[in-house]
Amino acid sequence: MKNTPANIEKDLSRIAGLIAEIRYAEAPESLSEKVLASIKPKKMTFFKRLLRRLKTPVSVTPLRVLPASVSALAIFALALTLFWRAPGTRIVTERINEVTDQGIKTVMLILDRSDARDVEVIGSFNNWSPEGIRMVWDEDRGLWVVVLNLRRGSYEYAFRINGKEIIADPMAFLHRDDGFGHQNSILIIGNGNGNEAKI
Amino acid sequence: MASGEETLVHEILSGDVNSYALLVKRYQKPIYNLMLRMTSSEQDAVDLTQETFVRAYEKLEKFDPSAPFFPWLYTMGLNLARDFLRRAKKFPIEFYELENSFSIEIDQDDSLADRIDAQDVLEGLQTLPVDYREALLLRFHEGLCVSEVASALGLSLSAAKMRIHRGLLRLRQLLEKQ
């Protein structure tokens, strides 16, 4: 056969296919056991544990882990005042963490989903109304943002993306099963001493 | 990155040794076969494979979990094997100037593609320089993309492409002579 470009190309394809078919020898079964016998579990430093905790959502029952005082705040969850800023409204980030005389706290929720067409927050702060609170696309930050003014209490919430997909807040520390296969994030508004957090 | 590996790496770094067992089971076969090719000794291959996984575990903090794990592991294994051969004063063919090689035209009725099988290709691969052989196996046997091959072999993207293409041409030449 002549070494025409077509023949060479055919041969190279065939060789590549045969390389894929080469049968490898099995590794001895004891190999993984030997490896595991040679290593010790890694220990994380305090700061690495903290960083990991910040990055990783955990599923817990809040009443088990939260102090009694915080748990009691959940009773007042329905006594909520909510102000929603319409899309396009300038976001007043300076007011974040500010607690007014009425005990209302301004919090900002953010979501990094640049692929979404629209994002809403749904949650206990408006009795899980199907009409969620629309988030605003913040061009500068590249994030979906909403600012909420909430009274003290414990709230559950989730994001609804493009009207269908419901996800927990990836930035929240604590989540609770909703009983329907999803998880809700938990937001605690404390007494304004700076310890309250989106957890 | 293969499915779920980033999570596995995070779990390992958090102290979960069992998650590392999954990575060992997933990749022990290609690493063991790499060592067999490098040393031609089953016992040395076992020892070097074990050493590769232990070394990778020790250095896991330096690994970027968002990157594919296998090319990183492979680089480590290849370096360990080269160190081993250097200590043992055994020198595999590391580089072969393929540009100066030439092909011999052989008149045969059947095309090469119709005459060869996987065993022929395996034998041909064993005569290639290490970097060419490993580039071909990583690309076509392990199914790595060219950028991952480049990462595993410490090459630029263009050098990896060239290594794969020239490796195939050289292998064809060898098989034609058989």
Side-chain angles (χ1 to χ4, degrees), chain B residues 48-62:
Chain B
L48 284 169
T49 305
Q50 188 178 336
E51 192 179 345
T52 301
F53 281 106
V54 172
R55 186 73 64 87
Y57 182 80
E58 287 167 352
K59 294 183 178 296
L60 200 61
E61 283 82 358
K62 294 180 181 174

Side-chain angles (χ1 to χ4, degrees), chain B residues 104-136:
Chain B
I104 301 169
E105 187 95 8
I106 298 174
D107 275 337
Q108 294 207 25
D109 291 338
D110 297 333
S111 74
L112 178 70
D114 297 329
R115 285 187 279 119
I116 56 175
D117 60 20
Q119 185 59 33
D120 297 328
V121 170
L122 178 61
E123 287 169 11
L125 277 171
Q126 284 166 345
T127 66
L128 282 185
V130 171
D131 279 355
Y132 287 91
R133 180 188 72 204
E134 295 307 316
L136 292 177

Side-chain angles (χ1 to χ4, degrees), chain B residues 32-162:
Chain B
Y32 175 66
N33 279 269
L34 164 68
M35 298 312 180
L36 278 178
R37 291 192 296 273
M38 295 296 283
T39 66
S40 304
S41 155
E42 286 184 14
Q43 187 53 54
D44 289 340
V46 169
D47 292 345
L48 284 169
T49 305
Q50 188 178 336
E51 192 179 345
T52 301
F53 281 106
V54 172
R55 186 73 64 87
Y57 182 80
E58 287 167 352
K59 294 183 178 296
L60 200 61
E61 283 82 358
K62 294 180 181 174
F63 170 67
D64 173 8
S66 64
F69 180 74
F70 183 61
W72 183 75
L73 179 73
Y74 204 87
T75 306
M76 203 166 288
L78 201 53
N79 288 337
L80 281 171
R82 282 178 167 147
D83 289 346
F84 170 84
L85 294 174
R86 206 170 293 130
R87 284 197 305 272
K89 300 191 188 307
K90 294 177 184 173
F91 301 99
I93 308 166
E94 287 283 352
F95 183 75
Y96 189 98
E97 192 53 60
L98 296 182
E99 290 84 345
N100 297 330
S101 63
F102 56 91
S103 65
I104 301 169
E105 187 95 8
I106 298 174
D107 275 337
Q108 294 207 25
D109 291 338
D110 297 333
S111 74
L112 178 70
D114 297 329
R115 285 187 279 119
I116 56 175
D117 60 20
Q119 185 59 33
D120 297 328
V121 170
L122 178 61
E123 287 169 11
L125 277 171
Q126 284 166 345
T127 66
L128 282 185
V130 171
D131 279 355
Y132 287 91
R133 180 188 72 204
E134 295 307 316
L136 292 177
L137 285 165
L138 286 172
R139 179 72 184 96
F140 301 115
H141 194 278
E142 305 305 330
L144 266 56
C145 64
V146 178
S147 64
E148 289 171 340
V149 174
S151 166
L153 298 178
L155 300 168
S156 68
L157 195 62
S158 58
K161 278 182 191 169
M162 198 177 293

